[in-house]
Amino acid sequence: MTRKPQPVLTGPSGGQAWSASVIGRHHEPVVYELSSPGRRSWSFRTTGMPEWDATDLVPADHLADEPPALPEVSERDLVAHVTRLTQRNYSVDLGAYPLGSCTMKYNPKLCDVASSVPGLTGVHPAQPGEQTQGWLRLLVELEDALCRITGMAAATLQPAAGAQGELTGLLLMRAWHDAAGSPRTKVLIPDSAHGTNPASVTLAGYQTVEVPSDRRGLVDLDALRTLVDDDVAGLMLTNPNTLGLFETDIVEIARLVHEAGGLLYYDGANLNAILGEVRPGDMGFDIVHMNLHKTFAVPHGGGGPGAGPVAVAPRLVEFLPGPRPQLDPETNRYTLTTPPRSIGRIHGWHGNALALARAYAYIRANGGDGLQLVAQTAVLNARYLKERVRDVFDLPYDEPCMHEFVASAANVKRATGVKALDLAKRLIEEGFHPPTMYFPLIVDEALMVEPTETESPQTVEAMAQAFERIVTEAEADGGAAARAAPRTTPVSRVDEVQAAKKLRLRWTPDEERSTAARVPSPLH
Amino acid sequence: MGHSVPHTDAEIAAMLDFLGLASLDDLYAHIPDAVRLAGGLDVAPGAAESDVLAEIDALAAANRPAVGGLVSFAGFGAYEHERPAVVPALTMRSEFVTSYTPYQPELSQGVLQALFEYQSMVCALFGLDVANASLYDAASAAVEGLNLAAAATKRRVAWISRAVHPNIREVVRTLTGPRLELREAPLVDGRTEWPDDLGEAAALLVAYPNVLGCLEDVADAARRAHDAGALLVAQADPVAAGLLRSVGSLGADVAVGEGQPFGTPLGFGGPYVGLFATRNAPYVRRWLPGRLVGETVDADNRRAYVLTLSTREQHIRRAEASSNVCTNQTLIAIAAAIHLAWLGPHGLRELALRCARGARYTREQLLRIPGVEPAVDAPTLYEFALRTPGPAAVVLERLAEEGYLGGVDLAPHYPELGDAILLAVTETRTRAEVDDFASTFEKALR
């Protein structure tokens, strides 16, 4: 029987969103359906320019007969429409979002303000350095802080997201081996890794070789020994890994990879668990990407923008993407310079600069001590929640978890036929966004739960009670309620199969709806 | 207590007690001492909100922003445009800002429908059938366009016009280097001259208008590409699309572009949004990069939206995925969709027309100055290159002293043009500003 929490940890929860109201059960029209010919919102500055006609300005063979088919709506209708759309969407600001691996922590509003300052937003990316000293200094200081946090020598801030950071890191790996005169062909990746890892490996021109996990959920050292050879460019590792477990053999893993001449790549998806406790550089990693939209609270924006800086060990600095913002110690001015053996540009400009400004503000507000507390509390919340659901779900890899844990609902499925998917949908009705489901792939009926440090103990406890309730309910009703869930959302269970079969990828008027934007089968 | 953690000391003690631990440090007890960091991070201690904002203000004050500081004639892939009040007001809504990728469709209809509307508008801009839910920027969209073409044609040679933005060409070189063979098509008088023999080409990449503002012959590029069995990837300016024939109607198979002009501030280059659209072709199901939203129904047969064709993507197909894209630029895409709906077809046309009028007027004023000449002769729309008597960098420096961002020095990128400045004029510039600019420009040459 699970032990009960102390009263101080229970009570009304700030993160449980089950009071969120939804008006109506009708669909929201597409903005095109609100369109009325001739209706308009737009106006432009009075400029006094000569009013030449389009035919005076554009050669006839380039001039379109008609402008693109956009909707024609009033500003009032547009605002109402978009506002209603926002009311059909869950968010961290509404309630807890324990989506494992995604780190849906609260994003301080301070960072919104910091990234909206006109002196930052109004700067053109091609302005000469003497006009952008503030921006360059911000980027240099952010790079410095990220290097201190990760224990690395230097970083590029260009990658726009984690996956672009991965590709950048792998291209650095390739450049290093090429420069050493020993090109290699394979990159090792644990079987628990994010899908972006092998996808990035392919784009970097390497082949993925999968390393199995052992019964603890960690890299199988014996298997690794047989896989490491002089054709291995490196190993990509997430630590803590996607099971939320710290790879405690990391020193030996690093030794094996380095002795074979390979490089060690740190996937920073879970860096938030170890801030101030362990640094990737001290574990022996040569290349580190960070997801600033996870660890450093850049909001996810419905899927982006994020930022994926890559930090490296001293021997890789000369290969970093350029141009890099740097402080010239002689003039005490900030400049943009390209390293001598740079792999080249990764981003059209300097990266997702305004997202970088958010991360800068977050790091400054928390400070070194605050970041360590962020990590500790993230782990504390996850460890607590895991213990609270110990009797509710299977825990196939029952090692001490870090900032997240992976439970298996296989026990519930065996007993009631209810799948992890159904439990996730039922949890919505309890006022929580579901955890990540069916990942990592090595866990049956996986539920990957990451409460984050910004949820109070009462919210974490409320999550535990919600999990208990929905499983107890499934045992009682055979899963009827879970399979019918969610019933409190703007739409009920969505038909994903039909979406893929009858592709409708853009709006078209009714008479065209039967044929438009259909993509023919079979697969190419 | 730190800035971001709600727990009281008593609550932490109770949680540790529940776990049978003595301290927060014990949470890491299983990690080998050899890799533990002693003494915490060597990062400055935390600061109060108002102190952080004061620091940010000080950094911002060390910039001379193109908008709100200088009067700007800079373009070169990033443009100053009016930003209607509705765009920040709606885009800052926290339901958009603080949600994740819409994996749970029942909780994400708002973001999904906004992206569906965005996809519909991107298709309209480019005259194509299928648009994805955004990529990082124009450069990443160009990379993905070439990757798509290589996968669809099972070839690996890509011809890139020299009049594609130099930063985009460099990103393409960096990111496709291990897999594609890139060849550059030269410029003649501001426009691309494609070789007669394109070989086993997978793709041609052309920009419309190109980086020098010139109007390329997209239809000719499409014919050449198709005759060679290649796809035409066109980097199309979405503002110019208000006046110009769509690249889809001119034969492009893939359109990529930079969505920054619609609702996104210059922001020192990001975050922007990569537009991506293509034809209704068999390769879409297997090789389209990025997230894609489709319309479907819910269990009660009501209209609903969901991420679709995910079997192309990295989280399903892993090493065989069409792309590694995961996080994209959704919020910026939503901003673009809101701005485009605010403009409508006639507002977009008016916007493009105003840019073209301003550019014509500015160009005429500057060409009256002795020694200033067109750098190339091909027709332009709202961005153009002028040759200056003497180094452009010096002219631009003098203009900056007088409060103007006078354009971008082309010498580092196109030395073959001599001393040349690239200028863009948008709807934001007034006739009076241009008149003053022209007289300052003339003085700067002395």
Side-chain angles (χ1 to χ4, degrees):
Chain A
M1 192 59 202
T2 305
R3 285 171 296 137
K4 288 298 170 199
Q6 295 182 15
V8 69
L9 300 179
T10 64
S13 146
Q16 191 166 19
W18 54 5
S19 73
S21 61
V22 178
I23 300 170
R25 300 279 288 158
H26 199 275
H27 75 259
E28 173 64 21
V30 174
V31 68
Y32 279 91
E33 293 164 345
L34 303 170
S35 183
S36 186
R39 188 172 284 165
R40 66 180 246 192
S41 302
W42 56 272
S43 62
F44 293 103
R45 184 178 186 183
T46 305
T47 62
M49 287 291 177
E51 299 200 343
W52 288 298
D53 286 339
T55 49
D56 301 328
L57 297 163
V58 184
D61 53 336
H62 290 274
L63 185 61
D65 298 330
E66 289 184 0
L70 298 171
E72 296 175 75
V73 293
S74 68
E75 183 170 315
R76 190 271 172 280
D77 284 358
L78 176 60
V79 169
H81 167 67
V82 177
T83 302
R84 289 194 296 266
L85 288 184
T86 65
Q87 292 179 346
R88 295 163 74 78
N89 219 79
Y90 195 81
S91 61
V92 172
D93 278 10
L94 191 64
Y97 217 127
L99 198 58
S101 175
C102 303
T103 312
M104 294 300 285
K105 60 171 72 175
Y106 169 71
N107 316 115
K109 298 301 168 193
L110 153 72
C111 304
D112 291 1
V113 178
S115 66
S116 308
V117 172
L120 296 182
T121 60
V123 178
H124 190 288
Q127 282 186 251
E130 56 270 30
Q131 297 172 12
T132 63
Q133 287 292 301
W135 255 120
L136 296 175
R137 179 172 173 189
L138 187 155
L139 298 179
V140 165
E141 292 192 355
L142 176 62
E143 179 191 340
D144 178 66
L146 295 175
C147 288
R148 288 167 186 269
I149 290 165
T150 53
M152 307 305 285
T156 173
L157 304 177
Q158 284 189 30
Q164 206 178 34
E166 290 176 17
L167 180 53
T168 304
L170 288 159
L171 293 171
L172 289 165
M173 194 181 279
R174 173 175 275 280
W176 160 258
H177 288 296
D178 286 353
S182 62
R184 299 181 170 207
T185 65
K186 298 183 294 192
V187 172
L188 304 179
I189 296 180
D191 56 6
S192 60
H194 295 111
T196 49
N197 287 182
S200 300
V201 166
T202 301
L203 288 172
Y206 285 121
Q207 286 169 337
T208 297
V209 177
E210 210 166 79
V211 185
S213 302
D214 64 17
R215 55 180 175 70
R216 300 170 298 167
L218 306 179
V219 168
D220 186 326
L221 277 180
D222 290 335
L224 181 63
R225 284 192 189 96
T226 66
L227 292 170
V228 172
D229 60 30
D230 61 9
D231 200 24
V232 168
L235 168 71
M236 294 181 88
L237 194 64
T238 312
N239 193 16
N241 65 23
T242 61
L243 292 163
L245 306 179
F246 192 88
E247 297 278 356
T248 46
D249 297 325
I250 184 60
V251 175
E252 176 66 4
I253 291 169
R255 194 184 64 79
L256 287 170
V257 173
H258 285 151
E259 278 187 359
L263 297 178
L264 203 57
Y265 181 102
Y266 184 84
D267 178 327
N270 295 338
L271 178 68
N272 55 310
I274 59 169
L275 299 169
E277 297 287 343
V278 188
R279 301 191 304 172
D282 299 333
M283 290 189 269
F285 286 94
D286 303 287
I287 304 167
V288 176
H289 95 252
M290 291 152 269
N291 304 75
L292 301 191
H293 44 294
K294 295 181 179 180
T295 301
F296 300 104
V298 173
H300 285 69
V310 175
V312 295
R315 57 180 166 159
L316 291 164
V317 175
E318 62 179 333
F319 299 100
L320 281 173
R324 288 183 61 208
Q326 283 186 294
L327 177 63
D328 181 341
E330 288 186 12
T331 60
N332 206 30
R333 302 290 286 170
Y334 293 89
T335 60
L336 285 166
T337 56
T338 296
R341 305 170 89 174
S342 173
I343 59 169
R345 238 178 215 291
I346 297 295
H347 188 269
W349 297 107
H350 312 291
N352 280 344
L354 291 172
L356 298 170
R358 286 175 180 272
Y360 173 91
Y362 179 81
I363 290 171
R364 284 296 299 119
N366 282 278
D369 49 345
L371 291 174
Q372 188 172 2
L373 185 64
V374 159
Q376 291 169 334
T377 315
V379 176
L380 180 68
N381 273 354
R383 195 77 68 83
Y384 177 87
L385 185 54
K386 180 189 169 199
E387 287 308 313
R388 284 286 287 114
V389 300
R390 173 170 291 283
D391 295 339
V392 180
F393 297 116
D394 285 345
L395 294 171
Y397 296 102
D398 194 10
E399 302 287 321
C401 77
M402 301 298 284
H403 64 297
E404 66 191 8
F405 66 93
V406 179
S408 167
N411 61 323
V412 183
K413 190 177 174 191
R414 273 194 307 274
T416 67
V418 173
K419 297 177 290 187
L421 174 77
D422 300 317
L423 293 171
K425 302 297 186 192
R426 178 69 184 83
L427 189 68
I428 293 170
E429 298 175 336
E430 296 289 322
F432 293 111
H433 191 282
T436 297
M437 307 171 299
Y438 302 105
F439 184 82
L441 308 177
I442 57 175
V443 175
D444 193 23
E445 297 297 317
L447 290 170
M448 183 191 214
V449 190
E450 181 177 11
T452 82
E453 73 282 359
T454 57
E455 298 307 332
S456 70
Q458 291 77 19
T459 297
V460 177
E461 174 58 29
M463 267 185 228
Q465 294 181 11
F467 276 125
E468 282 176 337
R469 219 162 27 241
I470 63 180
V471 171
T472 306
E473 174 193 76
E475 287 162 358
D477 75 355
R483 275 188 286 269
R487 293 156 300 186
T488 56
T489 45
V491 296
S492 52
R493 206 73 75 94
V494 168
D495 189 343
E496 299 185 24
V497 175
Q498 173 172 329
K501 249 190 217 163
K502 297 192 209 167
L503 280 181
R504 292 183 44 79
L505 305 174
R506 66 182 165 101
W507 184 84
T508 49
D510 275 342
E511 58 266 30
E512 296 173 29
R513 283 175 76 98
S514 56
T515 54
R518 290 276 178 83
V519 177
S521 284
L523 298 181
H524 183 67
Chain B
M1 281 285 135
H3 200 81
S4 303
V5 172
H7 300 52
T8 65
D9 290 342
E11 289 167 347
I12 287 177
M15 293 176 87
L16 288 171
D17 178 61
F18 181 83
L19 294 169
L21 300 175
S23 70
L24 288 171
D25 202 46
D26 286 355
L27 293 165
Y28 296 87
H30 61 300
I31 296 177
D33 287 340
V35 300
R36 289 288 302 277
L37 179 67
L41 290 171
D42 183 17
V43 172
E49 175 166 316
S50 46
D51 292 332
V52 175
L53 291 177
E55 275 181 35
I56 293 280
D57 284 340
L59 290 169
N63 294 323
R64 291 189 75 192
V67 180
L70 302 162
V71 173
S72 173
F73 293 86
F76 196 51
Y79 301 91
E80 175 186 356
H81 287 287
E82 291 177 17
R83 198 169 172 231
V86 289
V87 174
L90 294 173
T91 310
M92 287 292 278
R93 298 271 309 191
S94 66
E95 297 88 343
F96 290 146
V97 175
T98 74
S99 54
Y100 196 71
T101 302
Y103 288 140
Q104 292 286 341
E106 297 86 2
L107 284 180
S108 310
Q109 287 298 299
V111 165
L112 287 163
Q113 185 170 340
L115 288 173
F116 182 80
E117 294 178 358
Y118 162 85
Q119 290 174 184
S120 305
M121 293 183 211
V122 173
C123 288
L125 288 176
F126 295 144
L128 288 166
D129 311 305
V130 179
N132 74 12
S134 81
L135 295 164
Y136 309 131
D137 59 2
S140 71
V143 169
E144 297 287 356
L146 296 180
N147 285 343
L148 172 67
T153 61
K154 299 187 168 63
R155 295 176 174 185
R156 54 187 299 273
V157 174
W159 285 93
I160 302 179
S161 157
R162 180 160 170 76
V164 168
H165 196 292
N167 293 3
I168 294 178
R169 279 183 285 133
E170 188 180 339
V171 172
V172 167
R173 268 197 304 279
T174 309
L175 296 184
T176 68
R179 293 163 296 104
L180 301 187
E181 187 182 322
L182 303 176
R183 296 179 191 163
E184 188 170 282
L187 292 183
V188 174
D189 213 7
R191 291 202 275 201
T192 311
E193 185 159 272
W194 303 102
D196 288 331
D197 182 8
L198 294 166
E200 290 282 296
L204 275 62
L205 175 61
V206 67
Y208 184 65
N210 66 27
V211 71
L212 301 175
C214 299
L215 301 178
E216 298 266 6
D217 190 342
V218 176
D220 174 65
R223 271 189 303 275
R224 289 169 181 270
H226 297 155
D227 287 350
L231 301 190
L232 180 66
V233 182
Q235 185 214 331
D237 180 321
V239 170
L243 279 176
L244 302 181
R245 292 176 65 186
S246 72
V247 290
S249 73
L250 293 170
D253 302 283
V254 178
V256 300
E258 179 50 73
Q260 174 271 329
F262 302 125
T264 296
L266 290 169
F268 205 43
Y272 292 175
V273 54
L275 312 175
F276 190 100
T278 186
R279 295 194 178 285
N280 194 346
Y283 54 72
V284 164
R285 278 186 178 267
R286 176 63 182 88
W287 291 112
L288 188 83
R291 309 284 188 191
L292 190 62
V293 176
E295 184 190 313
T296 183
V297 293
D298 74 355
D300 301 307
N301 208 34
R302 287 174 304 183
R303 197 195 287 182
Y305 303 89
V306 68
L307 290 176
T308 193
L309 294 189
S310 54
T311 50
R312 301 163 293 121
E313 291 188 68
Q314 45 78 24
H315 60 283
I316 308 283
R317 202 167 292 242
R318 300 177 74 84
E320 308 296 319
S322 61
S323 157
N324 69 337
V325 170
C326 180
T327 291
N328 57 23
Q329 308 282 114
T330 298
L331 189 65
I332 316 297
I334 291 174
I338 292 167
H339 194 165
L340 282 165
W342 183 85
L343 287 168
H346 305 292
L348 180 61
R349 192 171 191 280
E350 180 74 15
L351 171 63
L353 187 56
R354 282 167 173 262
C355 294
R357 285 171 179 162
R360 161 74 64 90
Y361 182 75
T362 308
R363 191 166 180 270
E364 285 182 356
Q365 301 312 305
L366 295 175
L367 284 174
R368 287 188 183 150
I369 302 170
V372 176
E373 294 166 7
V376 293
D377 288 333
T380 60
L381 192 66
Y382 71 97
E383 191 155 19
F384 54 92
L386 296 181
R387 195 164 286 140
T388 53
V394 175
V395 178
L396 291 169
E397 215 167 284
R398 289 181 186 160
L399 287 168
E401 286 164 15
E402 301 300 321
Y404 293 100
L405 180 56
V408 173
D409 182 5
L410 284 173
H413 310 291
Y414 296 93
E416 67 269 32
L417 296 179
D419 296 319
I421 297 178
L422 183 70
L423 298 96
V425 184
T426 69
E427 83 287 3
T428 59
R429 288 289 75 81
T430 65
R431 186 172 184 156
E433 285 171 337
V434 171
D435 290 342
D436 284 348
F437 175 63
S439 62
T440 310
F441 201 104
E442 187 165 8
K443 284 179 212 144
L445 295 180
R446 287 184 200 137

